[in-house]
Amino acid sequence: MGEINHFEYGWITPALSYALSVLGSALGLVCAGRIRTATSGGQRAWWGLLAAWALGGTAIWAMHFMAMLGFAVSGTRIRYDVPLTAASTAIAVASVGIGLAIVGTGRLAAPRLLAGGFFTGAGVAAMHYTGMAAMRLDGSFGYDPLRVTLSVVIAIVAATVALWLAMTVRRGLAIAASALVMGIAVNGMHFTGMSALSVHLHESRGPASGTEVSGLLVPIVLAVVFGVVGLVYALLAAPSDDDRAGAAYVSSRLGDAPRTVAAEPAPDPVGLRARSTLAQPGAQFPSRRSTDRPS
């Protein structure tokens, strides 16, 4: 039996994983709020995609990978299967996206919320154990069925609450508080699933296949950084509710204004407009001296 250490680097990795889950949750909640105010199907799809990436890619999957950096087994080195690791990312983003589509199309009702939460929670659990299956080491894995079941239940409950918050929370303080709670739920699910794991080392050990963490760390960190920057830019560039209200007010005022406005006559300080003979070709220029002399 291999000795497992979930915090090889101390509290750095769990602190960073919690920060990533809170950041992704906050961005996802803000993007999900834009789904409710979208005026077209294309806008709803766009904000749904961004919310799925923020929640599934950053709050869940990036948190999972960051926490896995502190996972170690004594006596063996850990490598990762790149295709399975990429598949776990796709599972997380797709499951959150489908869950948002379920609860975001139509009126929010309990059956719709429960269906979306169940699907998303099951997808999050599948992402977690797919990421675990991507590990390569000189040993075999075993899982405690009770703790695995508990982790799946936590994932479903957390996903249901997250979808409900995504569809109802609007104010900044509420979003911040919800993100903190969601970060606790995501990390709780992860470490509950990790506690169900046991490793049985092989007697004959050879080089494990796959890529080391150092080979995946840089591209994953860059993907997370550019993803977060892109989400922030999309949120800042999009018009807010105040912007839309101002545009609607200006449009209404322009609609009430008359289409044609009569031009006011230009000022005529010397009275030339009254001398209509100036406008006639061949007319003699009038003299002020002749007009002012008494007859």
Side-chain angles (χ1 to χ4, degrees):
M1 184 75 68
E3 182 181 354
I4 296 176
N5 184 7
H6 295 284
F7 309 103
E8 185 180 16
Y9 302 105
W11 290 98
I12 295 178
T13 51
L16 289 177
S17 65
Y18 179 73
L20 280 174
S21 61
V22 172
L23 176 61
S25 299
L27 292 173
L29 290 174
V30 176
C31 291
R34 300 297 178 92
I35 299 175
R36 299 190 298 266
T37 58
T39 57
S40 64
Q43 291 182 1
R44 284 190 291 270
W46 169 248
W47 289 114
L49 179 62
L50 293 182
W53 173 255
L55 292 172
T58 304
I60 297 174
W61 186 86
M63 170 269 149
H64 166 84
F65 185 82
M66 183 59 64
M68 291 303 299
L69 292 179
F71 178 80
V73 179
S74 60
T76 181
R77 300 183 67 178
I78 299 176
R79 295 174 178 265
Y80 289 88
D81 183 275
V82 175
L84 275 181
T85 302
S88 66
T89 310
I91 291 172
V93 176
S95 62
V96 174
I98 295 175
L100 288 171
I102 292 174
V103 301
T105 55
R107 184 179 180 183
L108 183 62
R112 189 186 297 272
L113 179 62
L114 293 176
F118 179 82
F119 188 92
T120 303
V124 170
M127 178 280 305
H128 175 81
Y129 290 105
T130 301
M132 295 297 298
M135 290 194 302
R136 298 289 182 262
L137 48 78
D138 294 322
S140 57
F141 297 135
Y143 293 95
D144 181 6
L146 180 60
R147 294 188 180 185
V148 170
T149 304
L150 180 60
S151 68
V152 175
V153 172
I154 293 175
I156 293 174
V157 173
T160 304
V161 174
L163 292 176
W164 177 75
L165 291 173
M167 294 294 107
T168 56
V169 173
R170 296 187 179 183
R171 297 186 177 181
L173 185 60
I175 289 176
S178 301
L180 294 174
V181 175
M182 289 171 63
I184 295 174
V186 172
N187 283 264
M189 178 270 161
H190 172 82
F191 288 107
T192 300
M194 293 300 296
S195 67
L197 176 68
S198 60
V199 178
H200 303 272
L201 297 178
H202 296 156
E203 294 183 1
S204 58
R205 302 178 184 179
S209 62
T211 304
E212 292 187 359
V213 175
S214 59
L216 295 174
L217 184 59
V218 173
I220 289 175
V221 168
L222 289 177
V224 171
V225 169
F226 282 111
V228 171
V229 171
L231 288 168
V232 173
Y233 176 78
L235 289 171
L236 293 178
S240 63
D241 294 338
D242 294 337
D243 296 333
R244 283 188 289 268
Y249 174 76
V250 172
S251 178
S252 64
R253 296 293 294 175
L254 292 176
D256 294 339
R259 297 184 179 273
T260 58
V261 179
E264 297 182 0
D268 186 22
V270 296
L272 292 179
R273 188 177 295 112
R275 306 173 186 271
S276 58
T277 56
L278 288 176
Q280 301 176 2
Q284 185 181 1
F285 189 83
S287 173
R288 182 179 296 272
R289 180 180 301 173
S290 59
T291 55
D292 294 340
R293 182 181 300 170
S295 55

